[in-house]
Amino acid sequence: MEIIIIYLSFKKKLMKHILLSALILLGISATSFAQNLPVDAGTGKITYLEVVDATGVKPVDLTKVVKDWATKQGFTLKEEAGDKLVYDASTSVDYPNINGSGTEKSLVTFSLSIFIKDGKYRYIATDFVHAGDIKVKASGGKLENVSPECGATKMTSKSWVMIKNKTNSNLVALTGDLKRVVKEFQNDPANKSDW
């Protein structure tokens, strides 16, 4: 009888450990899947990169289209050299504050480089940093960080994941808008020289 009681006690503890381990793994995997950002294998940085077709558009015209688009986005031209434009850029994100009673508004800054050639361009967005509210002192820092630099007392892990997800959504929309603007210029009959 005593052996059965010991066995049942052991089995109960084992089941608790298995259940706890499963919950921890589930939490880690949910956080991992929620942070669906493209990371460059070489640099370890979050990087959005694509070569986009702009057949028929001259580099000088493409440069003007990109500059006009970036100005409308509120980006600051940091460097211009030949076929390269580099911008200091940002996107706004909001997330629940630490006590869940309101919303914090903040920016994620990044570098946007656009390389232009005859009939195509390539964009690279990288160096993403969450710059939170100065009053709250809730700056998450580099988006590659697993947890925010400001710590759990200023920002929850759920909010940190939300910031990353919103940044991803914003970047997909932003790069999609750049492609749309270039495609509109490319398809505009007034811009065609082969008539």
Side-chain angles (χ1 to χ4, degrees), residues 52-58 61-62 65 118-121 178-194:
V52 184
D53 175 66
T55 303
V57 182
K58 296 175 189 168
D61 293 332
L62 195 49
V65 170
D118 194 20
K120 64 183 174 180
Y121 65 97
L178 174 59
K179 289 184 236 181
R180 178 194 59 80
V181 168
V182 171
K183 187 61 79 178
E184 284 176 2
F185 183 88
Q186 183 182 16
N187 292 334
D188 187 344
N191 298 325
K192 304 240 185 235
S193 61
D194 59 345

Side-chain angles (χ1 to χ4, degrees), residues 44-164:
K45 291 182 176 184
I46 297 166
T47 305
Y48 293 81
L49 178 143
E50 185 177 356
V51 176
V52 184
D53 175 66
T55 303
V57 182
K58 296 175 189 168
V60 66
D61 293 332
L62 195 49
T63 300
K64 182 178 179 346
V65 170
V66 168
K67 281 182 165 182
D68 290 347
W69 172 83
T71 299
K72 287 179 184 171
Q73 300 301 321
F75 299 162
T76 305
L77 184 61
K78 184 169 79 172
E79 178 187 340
E80 182 176 2
D83 66 346
K84 178 181 177 183
L85 301 169
V86 180
Y87 290 93
D88 284 331
S90 65
T91 185
S92 61
V93 293
D94 58 335
Y95 59 95
N97 62 16
I98 191 69
N99 60 15
S101 63
T103 302
E104 299 293 338
K105 295 187 183 305
S106 59
L107 291 177
V108 172
T109 62
F110 59 98
S111 176
L112 177 64
S113 301
I114 302 173
F115 302 88
I116 298 170
K117 290 191 175 186
D118 194 20
K120 64 183 174 180
Y121 65 97
R122 177 176 71 165
Y123 65 80
I124 303 172
T126 191
D127 299 323
F128 292 87
V129 178
H130 175 254
D133 190 336
I134 302 296
K135 292 178 262 178
V136 180
K137 296 182 183 163
S139 291
K142 293 180 180 181
L143 258 59
E144 291 86 3
N145 295 341
V146 174
S147 55
E149 279 181 8
C150 59
T153 59
K154 299 289 182 186
M155 183 185 300
T156 66
S157 59
K158 180 180 176 183
S159 291
W160 187 233
V161 169
M162 186 179 288
I163 288 167
K164 292 180 180 190

Side-chain angles (χ1 to χ4, degrees), residues 15-28:
M15 291 304 289
K16 281 183 182 178
H17 286 295
I18 290 172
L19 183 61
L20 181 60
S21 297
L23 288 173
I24 290 171
L25 287 174
L26 182 63
I28 290 171

